[in-house]
Amino acid sequence: FLTNLVIQGCNIITGILTARILQAEGRGELATIILWPSILAGLGILGTNWALTREAAAHSEKEADLSRTAVVLGIFQAILFIALGYFLVPHLLPADKQYLATLTRCYLLFLPFNFVGLNLIALDHGRLQWRRYNLMRLSVAIPYLLFMLWFWVAQVERVAWFVMALLISNMIAVLSRVYVQRSKIRQGRVRLTEALNTLKRGFPFFLAAVSGVVALQVDKAMVVGLLSPEAVGCYAAAFTFASAHSALGGALGVTSFAALANEPDLDR
Protein backbone atom coordinates (compact mmCIF):
# COMPACT_ATOMS: atom_id res chain seq x y z
CA PHE A 1 0.00 0.00 0.00
CA LEU A 2 2.81 2.40 0.86
CA THR A 3 4.55 1.61 -2.43
CA ASN A 4 1.29 2.27 -4.29
CA LEU A 5 1.04 5.57 -2.44
CA VAL A 6 4.55 6.60 -3.49
CA ILE A 7 3.95 5.54 -7.11
CA GLN A 8 0.68 7.47 -7.26
CA GLY A 9 2.44 10.50 -5.79
CA CYS A 10 5.11 10.25 -8.50
CA ASN A 11 2.39 9.90 -11.15
CA ILE A 12 0.62 13.03 -9.95
CA ILE A 13 3.85 15.07 -10.00
CA THR A 14 4.88 13.77 -13.42
CA GLY A 15 1.34 14.38 -14.67
CA ILE A 16 1.49 18.01 -13.54
CA LEU A 17 4.95 18.55 -15.04
CA THR A 18 4.06 16.84 -18.32
CA ALA A 19 0.91 18.92 -18.75
CA ARG A 20 2.69 22.18 -17.91
CA ILE A 21 5.73 21.52 -20.10
CA LEU A 22 3.94 20.15 -23.17
CA GLN A 23 0.71 22.16 -22.80
CA ALA A 24 -2.58 20.69 -23.99
CA GLU A 25 -1.61 19.83 -27.58
CA GLY A 26 1.70 18.18 -26.71
CA ARG A 27 0.09 16.28 -23.82
CA GLY A 28 -2.56 15.03 -26.25
CA GLU A 29 0.10 13.87 -28.70
CA LEU A 30 1.91 11.98 -25.94
CA ALA A 31 -1.36 10.33 -24.84
CA THR A 32 -2.01 9.30 -28.45
CA ILE A 33 1.48 7.83 -28.87
CA ILE A 34 1.35 5.65 -25.75
CA LEU A 35 -2.29 4.52 -26.11
CA TRP A 36 -2.05 1.57 -28.48
CA PRO A 37 1.32 0.24 -27.25
CA SER A 38 -0.22 0.28 -23.75
CA ILE A 39 -3.26 -1.65 -24.98
CA LEU A 40 -1.00 -4.19 -26.72
CA ALA A 41 1.02 -4.47 -23.49
CA GLY A 42 -2.12 -5.24 -21.49
CA LEU A 43 -3.23 -7.89 -23.97
CA GLY A 44 0.14 -9.25 -25.07
CA ILE A 45 1.25 -10.45 -21.65
CA LEU A 46 -1.33 -13.25 -22.21
CA GLY A 47 -1.70 -13.84 -18.46
CA THR A 48 1.74 -15.44 -18.18
CA ASN A 49 2.72 -13.20 -15.25
CA TRP A 50 -0.17 -14.50 -13.13
CA ALA A 51 0.56 -18.09 -14.15
CA LEU A 52 4.22 -17.61 -13.19
CA THR A 53 3.16 -16.18 -9.82
CA ARG A 54 1.24 -19.37 -9.06
CA GLU A 55 4.06 -21.59 -10.32
CA ALA A 56 6.67 -19.76 -8.21
CA ALA A 57 4.45 -20.17 -5.16
CA ALA A 58 3.81 -23.86 -5.74
CA HIS A 59 7.32 -24.89 -6.89
CA SER A 60 10.01 -22.79 -5.24
CA GLU A 61 12.63 -25.38 -6.26
CA LYS A 62 12.04 -24.45 -9.94
CA GLU A 63 13.02 -20.80 -9.51
CA ALA A 64 15.95 -20.99 -11.95
CA ASP A 65 13.90 -22.65 -14.69
CA LEU A 66 11.00 -20.27 -14.10
CA SER A 67 13.36 -17.26 -14.27
CA ARG A 68 14.72 -18.30 -17.64
CA THR A 69 11.23 -19.18 -18.89
CA ALA A 70 9.99 -15.75 -17.77
CA VAL A 71 12.66 -14.00 -19.86
CA VAL A 72 12.23 -16.20 -22.94
CA LEU A 73 8.44 -15.91 -22.87
CA GLY A 74 8.68 -12.14 -22.44
CA ILE A 75 10.96 -11.81 -25.48
CA PHE A 76 8.72 -14.11 -27.54
CA GLN A 77 5.62 -12.12 -26.57
CA ALA A 78 7.39 -8.86 -27.41
CA ILE A 79 8.49 -10.01 -30.87
CA LEU A 80 4.96 -11.18 -31.68
CA PHE A 81 3.19 -8.03 -30.51
CA ILE A 82 5.78 -5.56 -31.81
CA ALA A 83 5.28 -7.08 -35.26
CA LEU A 84 1.50 -6.92 -34.84
CA GLY A 85 1.64 -3.36 -33.53
CA TYR A 86 4.00 -2.15 -36.26
CA PHE A 87 1.46 -3.31 -38.85
CA LEU A 88 -1.63 -2.04 -37.01
CA VAL A 89 -0.47 1.41 -35.85
CA PRO A 90 -1.19 3.29 -39.14
CA HIS A 91 -4.64 1.69 -39.25
CA LEU A 92 -5.47 2.44 -35.61
CA LEU A 93 -4.42 6.10 -35.59
CA PRO A 94 -7.04 8.54 -36.92
CA ALA A 95 -6.29 10.47 -40.08
CA ASP A 96 -5.48 13.74 -38.30
CA LYS A 97 -2.87 12.00 -36.11
CA GLN A 98 -1.01 9.94 -38.71
CA TYR A 99 2.03 12.17 -38.23
CA LEU A 100 2.48 10.43 -34.84
CA ALA A 101 2.78 6.96 -36.40
CA THR A 102 6.61 6.89 -36.35
CA LEU A 103 6.85 7.80 -32.65
CA THR A 104 4.06 5.35 -31.82
CA ARG A 105 5.97 2.60 -33.59
CA CYS A 106 9.12 3.59 -31.70
CA TYR A 107 7.24 3.32 -28.42
CA LEU A 108 6.46 -0.32 -29.25
CA LEU A 109 9.99 -0.92 -27.94
CA PHE A 110 8.32 -0.57 -24.54
CA LEU A 111 6.82 -4.05 -24.98
CA PRO A 112 9.92 -6.22 -24.30
CA PHE A 113 10.69 -4.20 -21.17
CA ASN A 114 7.10 -4.55 -20.03
CA PHE A 115 6.73 -8.28 -20.71
CA VAL A 116 10.10 -9.39 -19.32
CA GLY A 117 9.67 -7.11 -16.31
CA LEU A 118 6.15 -8.35 -15.50
CA ASN A 119 7.16 -11.98 -15.89
CA LEU A 120 10.18 -11.60 -13.61
CA ILE A 121 8.38 -9.57 -10.96
CA ALA A 122 5.72 -12.28 -10.94
CA LEU A 123 8.32 -14.65 -9.44
CA ASP A 124 8.89 -12.21 -6.55
CA HIS A 125 5.13 -11.97 -6.18
CA GLY A 126 4.73 -15.73 -5.92
CA ARG A 127 7.68 -16.14 -3.53
CA LEU A 128 6.37 -13.32 -1.29
CA GLN A 129 9.61 -11.39 -1.75
CA TRP A 130 7.88 -8.07 -1.17
CA ARG A 131 10.97 -5.88 -0.84
CA ARG A 132 12.29 -6.86 -4.26
CA TYR A 133 8.78 -6.75 -5.71
CA ASN A 134 8.20 -3.19 -4.51
CA LEU A 135 11.68 -1.97 -5.52
CA MET A 136 11.05 -3.24 -9.05
CA ARG A 137 7.80 -1.29 -9.22
CA LEU A 138 9.43 1.88 -7.89
CA SER A 139 12.34 1.54 -10.31
CA VAL A 140 10.09 2.75 -13.15
CA ALA A 141 8.37 5.64 -11.36
CA ILE A 142 11.46 7.22 -9.79
CA PRO A 143 13.65 7.52 -12.94
CA TYR A 144 10.73 8.92 -14.92
CA LEU A 145 10.09 11.51 -12.19
CA LEU A 146 13.76 12.54 -12.37
CA PHE A 147 13.49 12.88 -16.15
CA MET A 148 10.42 15.12 -15.77
CA LEU A 149 12.22 17.36 -13.26
CA TRP A 150 15.16 17.63 -15.65
CA PHE A 151 12.83 18.50 -18.54
CA TRP A 152 11.15 21.14 -16.38
CA VAL A 153 14.46 22.79 -15.47
CA ALA A 154 15.94 22.49 -18.97
CA GLN A 155 12.65 23.48 -20.65
CA VAL A 156 12.59 20.40 -22.88
CA GLU A 157 9.33 20.62 -24.83
CA ARG A 158 9.62 17.99 -27.56
CA VAL A 159 7.23 15.04 -27.25
CA ALA A 160 9.90 12.68 -28.60
CA TRP A 161 12.02 13.29 -25.49
CA PHE A 162 9.13 12.27 -23.26
CA VAL A 163 8.71 9.04 -25.23
CA MET A 164 12.43 8.39 -24.84
CA ALA A 165 12.20 9.05 -21.09
CA LEU A 166 9.43 6.46 -20.73
CA LEU A 167 11.46 3.89 -22.67
CA ILE A 168 14.65 4.51 -20.70
CA SER A 169 12.82 4.38 -17.35
CA ASN A 170 11.31 0.99 -18.20
CA MET A 171 14.65 -0.24 -19.54
CA ILE A 172 16.42 0.73 -16.29
CA ALA A 173 13.82 -1.17 -14.26
CA VAL A 174 14.08 -4.36 -16.33
CA LEU A 175 17.88 -4.38 -16.61
CA SER A 176 18.09 -3.93 -12.83
CA ARG A 177 15.73 -6.86 -12.30
CA VAL A 178 17.61 -9.08 -14.78
CA TYR A 179 20.90 -8.20 -13.06
CA VAL A 180 19.52 -9.24 -9.66
CA GLN A 181 18.27 -12.55 -11.10
CA ARG A 182 21.20 -13.12 -13.49
CA SER A 183 22.59 -16.25 -11.81
CA LYS A 184 19.19 -17.97 -11.76
CA ILE A 185 18.54 -17.01 -15.37
CA ARG A 186 21.89 -18.47 -16.44
CA GLN A 187 21.33 -21.69 -14.48
CA GLY A 188 17.77 -22.29 -15.64
CA ARG A 189 16.57 -24.31 -18.59
CA VAL A 190 13.60 -23.65 -20.82
CA ARG A 191 11.46 -26.62 -21.77
CA LEU A 192 9.02 -26.11 -24.62
CA THR A 193 6.30 -28.09 -22.86
CA GLU A 194 6.68 -26.01 -19.68
CA ALA A 195 6.57 -22.76 -21.64
CA LEU A 196 3.44 -23.90 -23.47
CA ASN A 197 1.87 -24.98 -20.17
CA THR A 198 2.57 -21.52 -18.75
CA LEU A 199 0.79 -19.95 -21.71
CA LYS A 200 -2.10 -22.38 -21.24
CA ARG A 201 -2.37 -21.65 -17.52
CA GLY A 202 -2.22 -17.93 -18.24
CA PHE A 203 -5.10 -17.99 -20.73
CA PRO A 204 -7.92 -17.56 -18.17
CA PHE A 205 -6.05 -14.55 -16.77
CA PHE A 206 -5.71 -13.21 -20.32
CA LEU A 207 -9.49 -13.32 -20.72
CA ALA A 208 -9.85 -11.33 -17.51
CA ALA A 209 -7.20 -8.89 -18.75
CA VAL A 210 -9.22 -8.25 -21.93
CA SER A 211 -12.15 -6.98 -19.89
CA GLY A 212 -9.77 -4.86 -17.79
CA VAL A 213 -8.15 -3.30 -20.85
CA VAL A 214 -11.57 -2.54 -22.35
CA ALA A 215 -12.75 -0.95 -19.10
CA LEU A 216 -9.63 1.18 -18.69
CA GLN A 217 -8.79 2.10 -22.28
CA VAL A 218 -11.97 2.23 -24.38
CA ASP A 219 -12.70 5.82 -23.35
CA LYS A 220 -9.14 6.90 -24.23
CA ALA A 221 -9.37 5.19 -27.62
CA MET A 222 -12.62 7.02 -28.33
CA VAL A 223 -11.18 10.36 -27.22
CA VAL A 224 -8.06 9.90 -29.38
CA GLY A 225 -10.20 8.85 -32.33
CA LEU A 226 -12.75 11.65 -32.09
CA LEU A 227 -11.08 14.73 -30.64
CA SER A 228 -8.23 17.09 -31.48
CA PRO A 229 -4.79 16.64 -29.84
CA GLU A 230 -5.49 19.65 -27.63
CA ALA A 231 -8.77 18.15 -26.36
CA VAL A 232 -7.04 14.78 -25.86
CA GLY A 233 -4.42 16.57 -23.74
CA CYS A 234 -7.09 18.19 -21.54
CA TYR A 235 -8.76 14.80 -21.10
CA ALA A 236 -5.45 13.08 -20.24
CA ALA A 237 -4.58 15.73 -17.66
CA ALA A 238 -8.02 15.51 -16.04
CA PHE A 239 -7.91 11.71 -16.06
CA THR A 240 -4.56 11.71 -14.25
CA PHE A 241 -6.06 13.58 -11.30
CA ALA A 242 -9.41 11.80 -11.36
CA SER A 243 -7.77 8.36 -11.17
CA ALA A 244 -5.12 9.27 -8.56
CA HIS A 245 -6.78 7.06 -5.94
CA SER A 246 -7.44 4.08 -8.20
CA ALA A 247 -4.35 1.98 -7.42
CA LEU A 248 -4.50 2.39 -3.65
CA GLY A 249 -6.98 -0.42 -3.10
CA GLY A 250 -4.96 -2.70 -5.37
CA ALA A 251 -2.60 -3.60 -2.53
CA LEU A 252 -5.22 -5.94 -1.07
CA GLY A 253 -5.66 -7.73 -4.39
CA VAL A 254 -1.91 -8.13 -4.90
CA THR A 255 -1.27 -9.54 -1.42
CA SER A 256 -4.36 -11.77 -1.28
CA PHE A 257 -3.54 -13.32 -4.67
CA ALA A 258 -0.02 -14.20 -3.49
CA ALA A 259 -1.32 -15.52 -0.15
CA LEU A 260 -3.84 -17.72 -1.94
CA ALA A 261 -1.22 -19.00 -4.37
CA ASN A 262 0.96 -20.05 -1.41
CA GLU A 263 -1.89 -21.77 0.47
CA PRO A 264 -1.25 -25.56 0.46
CA ASP A 265 -4.70 -26.44 1.83
CA LEU A 266 -7.17 -26.24 -1.06
CA ASP A 267 -10.14 -26.25 1.34
CA ARG A 268 -8.90 -23.03 2.92
Side-chain angles (χ1 to χ4, degrees):
F1 174 79
L2 293 175
T3 305
N4 284 358
L5 204 61
V6 173
I7 291 172
Q8 288 301 90
C10 290
N11 289 342
I12 290 172
I13 296 171
T14 56
I16 292 170
L17 293 175
T18 302
R20 287 184 177 275
I21 296 169
L22 293 179
Q23 298 300 308
E25 184 174 358
R27 183 65 185 88
E29 290 177 346
L30 182 63
T32 301
I33 290 164
I34 66 177
L35 172 65
W36 289 107
S38 298
I39 290 175
L40 289 172
L43 298 176
I45 192 66
L46 301 174
T48 54
N49 55 324
W50 298 105
L52 287 166
T53 296
R54 295 185 65 185
E55 281 297 296
H59 303 286
S60 58
E61 75 283 356
K62 294 167 57 178
E63 184 179 1
D65 290 348
L66 289 173
S67 298
R68 197 173 184 94
T69 299
V71 173
V72 171
L73 276 176
I75 294 172
F76 167 77
Q77 291 164 306
I79 292 171
L80 178 64
F81 280 86
I82 284 176
L84 180 64
Y86 190 88
F87 171 75
L88 288 177
V89 159
H91 304 285
L92 293 171
L93 289 177
D96 65 322
K97 300 180 182 70
Q98 284 294 317
Y99 66 96
L100 298 173
T102 299
L103 276 177
T104 305
R105 281 172 162 171
C106 288
Y107 191 63
L108 290 170
L109 293 174
F110 157 74
L111 296 181
F113 306 139
N114 181 71
F115 294 151
V116 173
L118 285 178
N119 283 342
L120 283 175
I121 198 176
L123 305 182
D124 299 333
H125 192 189
R127 297 290 305 281
L128 304 178
Q129 294 177 329
W130 295 116
R131 180 176 297 177
R132 198 158 72 181
Y133 178 83
N134 286 323
L135 284 173
M136 171 68 181
R137 295 167 62 219
L138 283 170
S139 62
V140 177
I142 301 298
Y144 188 63
L145 174 60
L146 295 176
F147 271 117
M148 292 305 100
L149 293 171
W150 172 36
F151 290 172
W152 173 256
V153 172
Q155 296 184 331
V156 176
E157 299 176 352
R158 291 184 59 187
V159 173
W161 282 93
F162 286 76
V163 174
M164 190 65 65
L166 282 166
L167 289 174
I168 293 174
S169 299
N170 280 276
M171 182 180 68
I172 289 171
V174 172
L175 291 180
S176 301
R177 186 62 187 81
V178 169
Y179 180 79
V180 169
Q181 199 78 358
R182 64 192 183 283
S183 60
K184 294 291 185 182
I185 295 171
R186 283 198 299 262
Q187 294 168 17
R189 293 184 298 171
V190 178
R191 297 180 178 86
L192 180 60
T193 53
E194 182 61 31
L196 292 175
N197 283 335
T198 301
L199 287 169
K200 182 179 178 180
R201 287 189 290 266
F203 188 69
F205 298 106
F206 164 72
L207 295 177
V210 171
S211 64
V213 168
V214 170
L216 291 172
Q217 303 286 8
V218 68
D219 60 321
K220 298 174 189 175
M222 291 175 65
V223 167
V224 165
L226 296 172
L227 303 181
S228 67
E230 185 176 3
V232 174
C234 292
Y235 183 88
F239 190 88
T240 299
F241 288 98
S243 60
H245 65 285
S246 60
L248 299 182
L252 178 61
V254 168
T255 51
S256 60
F257 185 92
L260 206 62
N262 279 274
E263 176 56 61
D265 185 352
L266 291 179
D267 291 334
R268 293 189 60 183

